[in-house]
Amino acid sequence: AHMGKNELEDMPQGWGPDTVKATEQFVRDELAGMDGSHDWWHIDRVRKTAIAIAQREFRDEWVGQQWNRNFKEIVELAALLHDVRDWKYSGDADAGAKAVEAFLDGLGPLLRPSDQITARVTAVIKRIGFKDELSAILSGGVTRSELPHELQCVQDADRLDAMGAIGIGRTFCYGGAKGHAMHVPGVGPRENLTKEDYVNSNANKRTKLHEHVDTTVNHFHEKLFKLKGLMKTKTGAALATLRHARMVHFLDMFHEEWEMKDFEFSDDARDDP
């Protein structure tokens, strides 16, 4: 019999650390061979960040020194599994949630979470993506109050990993994997980017209506610079402000060098041996 909401505390002995270990192995196998933007180390960073956000933001999920109703495991499982069969690579928006559900349901009786926990984990995976908030961005705002706590933690952690120095590295890594140019002078970012535009770019689909050259530099304007305004937690927003500024500074230097404006500062250096 599957456990109902009130029986969450009666999870099997192995549920928790051993379930997380089995999940780690599954994710390592799933992501083997992925480029450095979506590899195991991205997952590991998101997991650690999501748990740290959870500890700071949601003290009501603690009872004494214990997490309330397996909240930590739900956050950790969702973070570990959030990029399985990612649509940007698989081309199927539903593939991730289906694969995650099949994996969790297929675990042995000592490891398998309850139906309710599996549903909470898969709900995060269905809603974590940037593409699903594009319509909300265009209509002028994203609300956080009704979102499940675990989604707020994992989504903010995933977005923080797309920002700052690591975000810069990942973006160029992803652009290289997709065959995008770094920068093409005269090709500006798309304004009012729609979900369809974003999906077509990442799926490498081209139609006569979407004859668009994708560049990594434009990805900063089309996506990464918008993330700061989409954070759901105070911790996430504070870190996003810092990491956003690092990206802006980087892009300023990138264009300065591309346009050779730094030649103005090179006179002093020329005299050095």
Side-chain angles (χ1 to χ4, degrees), residues 161-231:
D161 210 57
M163 303 179 76
I166 285 174
I168 293 164
R170 287 184 65 222
T171 303
F172 283 95
C173 218
Y174 180 73
K178 289 286 187 179
H180 297 166
M182 286 204 303
H183 174 53
V184 179
V187 175
R190 289 164 290 183
E191 302 296 325
N192 300 319
L193 184 69
T194 66
K195 180 176 175 178
E196 187 191 8
D197 291 332
Y198 182 70
V199 168
N200 283 337
S201 285
N202 284 283
N204 283 352
K205 284 183 185 162
R206 295 288 172 273
T207 67
K208 294 227 164 140
L209 290 172
H210 292 91
E211 234 11 284
H212 179 79
V213 177
D214 293 298
T215 75
T216 298
V217 163
N218 283 344
H219 191 62
F220 283 85
H221 297 285
E222 292 173 353
K223 177 180 179 181
L224 306 186
F225 287 167
K226 294 175 181 172
L227 297 177
K228 183 175 77 149
L230 298 176
M231 307 307 283

Side-chain angles (χ1 to χ4, degrees), residues 49 53 56 160 163 234-244:
T49 304
I53 290 172
R56 283 190 178 200
L160 285 169
M163 303 179 76
K234 286 180 184 169
T235 303
L239 283 164
T241 300
L242 173 70
R243 295 189 184 188
H244 180 88

Side-chain angles (χ1 to χ4, degrees), residues 230-268:
L230 298 176
M231 307 307 283
K232 304 302 188 301
T233 66
K234 286 180 184 169
T235 303
L239 283 164
T241 300
L242 173 70
R243 295 189 184 188
H244 180 88
R246 289 173 176 169
M247 294 193 296
V248 171
H249 181 52
F250 167 80
L251 220 48
D252 286 344
M253 291 188 294
F254 182 96
H255 287 298
E256 187 179 272
E257 292 173 16
W258 189 286
E259 292 153 23
M260 296 171 62
K261 288 181 178 168
D262 52 339
F263 265 56
E264 297 161 26
F265 312 123
S266 66
D267 287 340
D268 297 338

Side-chain angles (χ1 to χ4, degrees), residues 41-259:
W41 297 110
H42 162 65
I43 302 298
D44 194 43
R45 288 190 304 270
V46 170
R47 177 243 301 259
K48 286 171 180 164
T49 304
I51 290 171
I53 290 172
Q55 286 170 330
R56 283 190 178 200
E57 293 284 328
F58 297 113
R59 302 303 295 182
D60 55 331
E61 296 283 6
W62 288 72
V63 178
Q65 291 303 302
Q66 295 296 309
W67 285 97
N68 184 28
R69 295 212 173 278
N70 305 291
F71 180 67
K72 176 177 180 273
E73 280 83 5
I74 291 168
V75 169
E76 189 163 16
L77 288 178
L80 285 168
L81 292 162
H82 82 272
D83 271 342
V84 167
R85 314 276 167 93
D86 187 316
W87 70 274
K88 290 190 293 295
Y89 296 87
S90 71
D92 180 353
D94 301 317
K98 284 179 188 161
V100 165
E101 200 167 2
F103 163 70
L104 292 174
D105 285 346
L107 287 169
L110 291 179
L111 300 179
R112 187 168 57 241
S114 68
D115 284 358
Q116 192 217 9
I117 287 178
T118 296
R120 282 174 68 176
V121 170
T122 51
V124 172
I125 287 147
K126 285 174 185 169
R127 297 177 66 184
I128 191 173
F130 176 73
K131 67 178 167 53
D132 299 309
E133 277 188 316
L134 275 168
S135 53
I137 295 167
L138 292 174
S139 62
V142 179
T143 54
R144 65 159 272 193
S145 55
E146 300 305 311
L147 293 177
H149 290 174
E150 58 267 23
L151 174 61
Q152 293 184 43
C153 295
V154 179
Q155 191 181 62
D156 275 13
D158 191 33
R159 288 175 177 175
L160 285 169
D161 210 57
M163 303 179 76
I166 285 174
I168 293 164
R170 287 184 65 222
T171 303
F172 283 95
C173 218
Y174 180 73
K178 289 286 187 179
H180 297 166
M182 286 204 303
H183 174 53
V184 179
V187 175
R190 289 164 290 183
E191 302 296 325
N192 300 319
L193 184 69
T194 66
K195 180 176 175 178
E196 187 191 8
D197 291 332
Y198 182 70
V199 168
N200 283 337
S201 285
N202 284 283
N204 283 352
K205 284 183 185 162
R206 295 288 172 273
T207 67
K208 294 227 164 140
L209 290 172
H210 292 91
E211 234 11 284
H212 179 79
V213 177
D214 293 298
T215 75
T216 298
V217 163
N218 283 344
H219 191 62
F220 283 85
H221 297 285
E222 292 173 353
K223 177 180 179 181
L224 306 186
F225 287 167
K226 294 175 181 172
L227 297 177
K228 183 175 77 149
L230 298 176
M231 307 307 283
K232 304 302 188 301
T233 66
K234 286 180 184 169
T235 303
L239 283 164
T241 300
L242 173 70
R243 295 189 184 188
H244 180 88
R246 289 173 176 169
M247 294 193 296
V248 171
H249 181 52
F250 167 80
L251 220 48
D252 286 344
M253 291 188 294
F254 182 96
H255 287 298
E256 187 179 272
E257 292 173 16
W258 189 286
E259 292 153 23

